[in-house]
Amino acid sequence: MRIAQVAPLYESVPPRFYGGTERVVSYLTEELVRQGHEVTLFASGDSVTRARLVAPCLKALRLDAECIDKMAHHILLLERVFSSLDAFDIVHFHVDYMHFPLTRRMGACAVTTLHGRLDLPDLPPLYHEFSDMPVVSISDAQRRPLNHARWVGTVHHGLPPALYEFQPEPENYFAFIGRIAPEKRVDIAIAAAKRLGVPLKIAAKVDAVDREYFEDHIEPLLDHPLIEFIGEINDADKRAFLGNARALLFTADWPEPFGLAMIEALACGTPVVALRRGSVPEVIEDGVTGFIVDTADEVAAAAARTTELSRRACRDDFERRFTVERMAHDYLAVYRQLAERPLLHAVPDVPVAAIQPRQFQSRRGSDGWGADLEQADAATQLPN
């Protein structure tokens, strides 16, 4: 097939450091090329790929100190894509919904993977309006707030099997990897490590928007002999970081859409202790590849038991469910389904004013930062 992959421009493909969406786009693109498909990647100019690269900007926008208006580059990205639609059998977007009006009007054979959280109150009116747009979720849990969208599949992320080596004998430390942000709750991981007397290594980036939170609430917790803050790491460093860990503490306290770090850990044979949020029960098999707990207080007790789990079982589960070959197979099935039926469904004539958005409530802990996020039970209602 002739396939276009359209990535966000904030990070390169693959990203130098943090960047889940761009990392998945890279894995998928390279696997499709390996399988013999003709792939064009729309991404930043510092991306590395065996596909044909079309670059609306020279380098990743997050790392470009001279970039002021990031949206300008994304508008140029859309122009590059839509001016060459005839070259593709399908266009696979990874840029949320910004292309929806153009896709509808130009009749493109396209699909969009939604990589972020979907429980925000602004989204129901938009997805009611664009209920003709085919979208893919990265977990079943992710799609629940928008059950009226045109879902054409759920495709869990996958990794190249050789990217991470199985490590049967770990060292004695816990790992935390990702972002330092209120919803990621690294403070829970720190508390669990201190309670057990086991070192915790933290490999995470701090975005500008989270700098105040980091300085006020997390940095004071790092002044302890058991806690080591490493900062952002690249793929090469990540292999040893995750592979040598006794367990990954995945303490995200929000509706996690997928959690790429969990399958990266499993690929190394490293079990995962995670809060029961979002996609976690779809990724971790409780009592086999890790432990799923309901509260922050339960994290330490579960982490203490991870030595009971088989690291080989973790790697075996990764090879069975989370390889890039399986991910590409699932996406190709979606592509073929849409290519055979390119006409979009008719859009229901529902006035935006008639849509009752979900109630969105943030529960904050005693520290003043979000402890977790909830939806009201009432689902979005359409008029009869």
Side-chain angles (χ1 to χ4, degrees), residues 191-228:
K194 290 178 179 178
R195 185 179 305 178
L196 295 174
V198 176
L200 173 69
K201 296 184 179 184
I202 303 170
K205 75 167 182 174
V206 183
D207 284 329
V209 68
D210 297 312
R211 175 59 59 178
E212 181 182 356
Y213 167 74
F214 172 72
E215 292 175 351
D216 292 348
H217 296 270
I218 301 303
E219 200 167 29
L221 304 178
L222 305 179
D223 187 17
H224 190 283
L226 289 174
I227 310 302
E228 179 182 359

Side-chain angles (χ1 to χ4, degrees), residues 115-143:
H115 291 266
R117 66 185 304 170
L118 302 179
D119 61 333
L120 305 179
D122 310 287
L123 295 181
L126 185 142
Y127 281 94
H128 275 295
E129 170 61 37
F130 291 101
S131 61
D132 53 329
M133 293 291 106
V135 287
V136 171
S137 55
I138 57 177
S139 67
D140 290 336
Q142 181 201 29
R143 65 165 67 182

Side-chain angles (χ1 to χ4, degrees), residues 281-330:
E282 295 176 49
V283 179
I284 301 303
E285 187 174 351
D286 191 29
V288 178
T289 60
F291 293 112
I292 303 175
V293 299
D294 294 299
T295 68
D297 290 339
E298 297 172 322
V299 171
R305 297 178 54 208
T306 51
T307 53
E308 303 171 9
L309 301 177
S310 165
R311 293 177 71 89
R312 171 52 65 183
C314 294
R315 174 69 188 193
D316 289 347
D317 190 61
F318 160 75
E319 292 180 352
R320 183 171 60 253
R321 298 200 293 143
F322 298 116
T323 66
V324 68
E325 186 175 6
R326 190 274 311 152
M327 177 173 67
H329 175 273
D330 291 352

Side-chain angles (χ1 to χ4, degrees), residues 86-237:
D86 290 344
F88 311 117
D89 297 314
I90 189 147
V91 181
H92 188 171
F93 288 98
H94 302 268
V95 291
D96 289 330
Y97 44 75
M98 68 168 62
H99 61 94
F100 282 0
L102 285 172
T103 301
R104 172 185 283 175
R105 283 159 178 78
M106 299 190 72
C109 183
V111 67
T112 304
T113 293
L114 301 178
H115 291 266
R117 66 185 304 170
L118 302 179
D119 61 333
L120 305 179
D122 310 287
L123 295 181
L126 185 142
Y127 281 94
H128 275 295
E129 170 61 37
F130 291 101
S131 61
D132 53 329
M133 293 291 106
V135 287
V136 171
S137 55
I138 57 177
S139 67
D140 290 336
Q142 181 201 29
R143 65 165 67 182
R144 288 173 192 150
L146 295 178
N147 55 17
H148 52 276
R150 187 187 168 192
W151 298 109
V152 294
T154 290
V155 180
H156 289 153
H157 291 334
L159 310 175
L163 186 63
Y164 294 98
E165 294 182 357
F166 173 60
Q167 176 53 265
E169 298 295 336
E171 299 174 13
N172 186 39
Y173 70 87
F174 297 129
F176 177 97
I177 192 167
R179 288 185 293 116
I180 301 295
E183 68 272 16
K184 294 293 187 177
R185 295 306 304 270
V186 67
D187 57 305
I188 295 176
I190 292 171
K194 290 178 179 178
R195 185 179 305 178
L196 295 174
V198 176
L200 173 69
K201 296 184 179 184
I202 303 170
K205 75 167 182 174
V206 183
D207 284 329
V209 68
D210 297 312
R211 175 59 59 178
E212 181 182 356
Y213 167 74
F214 172 72
E215 292 175 351
D216 292 348
H217 296 270
I218 301 303
E219 200 167 29
L221 304 178
L222 305 179
D223 187 17
H224 190 283
L226 289 174
I227 310 302
E228 179 182 359
F229 181 76
I230 298 171
E232 277 192 89
I233 59 176
N234 58 29
D235 274 345
D237 294 332

